[in-house]
């Protein structure tokens, strides 16, 4: 089988340009559509508890680890091609990176994909759009990924959804081009705090600084210790985790709808950008937390048909 030619650095450097679709290279024969779904904040054991049978249709639901504990840097890593890793022991990191990048040959359906071909930008949308001829798109749920952030680079379309918890609306909005393969990134918010699914009564959501508070109040004066909100007790923590499990089960049902929408041979990756803490080590949430569970995420990939 012929190898896809090595890409010259000056070609990838064209990522600084907005190259019209008609001027981009034709995609190599056999190139797959690729869809990456990040279930925001979903930790591995919550996915298992949810019994995500549709996610498992892609392959084994693996326990992997994210490179970051917060949404924005985790998606930055993902778009560099660094998917959640297995945290292997007794191996050189460079060898793990090499083996993981070699899997993009199977993911893209294009022989000869190499890490060096993504230089110097190290940005999947740049490489896929300007070198491989893909259409690139993203739909995101969390405002920290809004279209004015640096994450929105070399996407043909990039949309912050009007609701933070409506994966089904993303699936309904997906489009695929008959003349070129597509790359889609979907950042799903149901599994993020407050772990709400469409139709939930917002007045019954748990309410702390989070999806509806951290940005609005970030410049407020720091509270005195006695004025800080009371930390959740054990029963409340369990109730919050149960909400995430319920949200994960809902998203798993939406995955079935996604599988019906994508064209044949589409490569689908379902994972999370990071995990979540529900009381372990005295922590709740994610971000400025150093704990294994905040990095522990589910991961599955493959094709449905």
């Amino acid at each position: 089988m012929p190898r896809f030619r090595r890409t010259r650095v000056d070609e990838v450097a064209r990522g600084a340009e907005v190259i019209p679709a008609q001027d981009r290279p034709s995609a190599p024969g056999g190139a797959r559509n690729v869809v990456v779904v990040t279930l925001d904040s979903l930790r591995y054991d919550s996915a298992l508890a949810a019994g995500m049978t549709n996610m498992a249709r892609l392959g084994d639901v693996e326990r992997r680890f994210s490179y970051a504990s917060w949404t924005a840097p985790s998606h930055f890593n993902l778009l560099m091609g660094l998917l959640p890793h297995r945290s292997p022991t007794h191996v050189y990191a460079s060898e793990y990176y090499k083996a993981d990048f070699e899997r993009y040959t199977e993911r893209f359906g294009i022989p000869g994909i190499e890490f060096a071909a993504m230089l110097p930008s190290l940005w999947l949308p740049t490489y896929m759009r300007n070198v491989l001829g893909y259409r690139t798109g993203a739909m995101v749920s969390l405002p920290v990924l809004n279209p004015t952030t640096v994450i929105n680079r070399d996407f043909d379309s990039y949309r912050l959804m009007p609701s933070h918890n409506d994966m089904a609306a993303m699936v309904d909005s997906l489009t695929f081009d008959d003349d070129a393969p597509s790359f889609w990134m979907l950042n799903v918010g149901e599994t993020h705090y407050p772990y709400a699914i469409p139709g939930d009564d917002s007045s019954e959501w748990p309410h702390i600084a989070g999806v509806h508070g951290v940005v609005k109040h970030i410049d407020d004066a720091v509270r005195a210790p006695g004025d800080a909100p009371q930390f959740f007790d054990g029963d409340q923590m369990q109730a919050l985790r149960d909400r995430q499990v319920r949200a994960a089960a809902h998203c798993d049902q939406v995955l079935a709808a996604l599988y019906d929408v994508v064209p044949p041979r589409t490569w689908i990756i379902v994972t999370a950008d990071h995990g979540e803490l529900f009381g372990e080590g005295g922590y709740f949430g994610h971000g400025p937390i150093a704990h294994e569970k905040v990095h522990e995420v589910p991961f599955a990939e493959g094709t449905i048909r």
Side-chain angles (χ1 to χ4, degrees):
M1 179 180 293
R3 290 178 63 81
F4 186 66
R5 66 178 178 82
R6 292 179 66 91
T7 304
R8 300 198 316 268
V9 167
D10 62 325
E11 289 178 302
V12 187
R14 295 183 72 194
E17 306 174 35
V18 178
I19 301 177
Q22 66 270 19
D23 294 336
R24 294 180 202 171
S26 297
R32 303 179 190 267
N33 296 294
V34 178
V35 178
V36 178
V37 179
T38 57
L39 301 170
D40 206 294
S41 307
L42 181 62
R43 57 190 258 177
Y44 172 73
D45 55 7
S46 289
L48 292 187
M52 301 184 69
T53 56
N54 286 311
M55 182 177 180
R57 289 169 61 188
L58 296 171
D60 293 338
V61 178
E62 299 180 53
R63 173 179 177 254
R64 290 202 181 188
F65 296 88
S66 67
Y67 282 91
S69 63
W70 191 52
T71 299
S74 182
H75 280 80
F76 189 92
N77 280 290
L78 184 150
L79 289 171
M80 289 177 65
L82 297 173
L83 295 171
H85 58 83
R86 296 187 176 94
S87 192
T89 59
H90 300 97
V91 299
Y92 293 112
S94 58
E95 291 301 310
Y96 181 86
Y97 289 140
K98 178 181 177 181
D100 198 41
F101 272 100
E102 285 176 350
R103 288 224 61 193
Y104 281 102
T105 289
E106 181 180 9
R107 291 166 181 149
F108 294 172
I110 301 171
I113 297 294
E114 296 177 351
F115 175 80
M118 298 187 193
L119 297 172
S121 67
L122 281 178
W123 199 246
L124 278 177
T126 300
Y127 178 61
M128 297 180 79
R129 188 185 77 166
N130 295 354
V131 177
L132 299 182
Y134 274 73
R135 308 294 184 263
T136 55
M139 286 179 271
V140 302
S141 298
L142 276 296
V144 295
L145 300 179
N146 75 77
T148 66
T149 64
V150 295
I151 297 294
N152 181 16
R153 176 184 168 194
D154 289 332
F155 280 100
D156 295 311
S157 64
Y158 192 105
R159 180 184 179 195
L160 175 63
M161 301 301 287
S163 172
H164 80 274
N165 61 336
D166 196 353
M167 180 183 176
M170 294 182 177
V171 173
D172 290 343
S173 299
L174 283 173
T175 59
F176 294 90
D177 193 330
D178 291 336
D179 298 325
S182 295
F183 168 70
W184 282 101
M185 182 187 76
L186 309 180
N187 163 246
V188 174
E190 278 93 328
T191 48
H192 187 285
Y193 174 87
Y195 325 111
I197 65 177
D200 280 357
D201 184 350
S202 61
S203 68
E204 297 179 2
W205 294 352
H207 194 95
I208 60 172
V211 71
H212 40 246
V214 68
V215 175
K216 183 191 301 183
H217 299 296
I218 198 164
D219 292 324
D220 291 355
V222 177
R223 294 185 179 98
D227 295 331
Q230 186 175 359
F231 201 61
F232 295 124
D233 62 28
D235 290 341
Q236 291 170 318
M237 289 288 193
Q238 184 59 51
L240 289 165
R241 180 163 185 262
D242 290 345
R243 287 179 64 90
Q244 186 179 68
V245 171
R246 170 177 171 263
H250 164 80
C251 291
D252 191 63
Q253 295 304 307
V254 182
L255 284 176
L258 172 67
Y259 300 160
D260 288 339
V261 167
V262 300
R265 296 185 64 254
T266 297
W267 192 266
I268 303 171
I269 298 170
V270 180
T271 188
D273 51 348
H274 51 74
E276 192 85 320
L277 274 292
F278 294 105
E280 297 89 353
Y283 297 108
F284 169 72
H286 60 269
I289 292 171
H291 193 285
E292 181 180 79
K293 289 291 183 185
V294 85
H295 291 276
E296 191 178 88
V297 297
F299 182 92
E301 63 178 334
T303 60
I304 294 300
R305 61 189 193 282

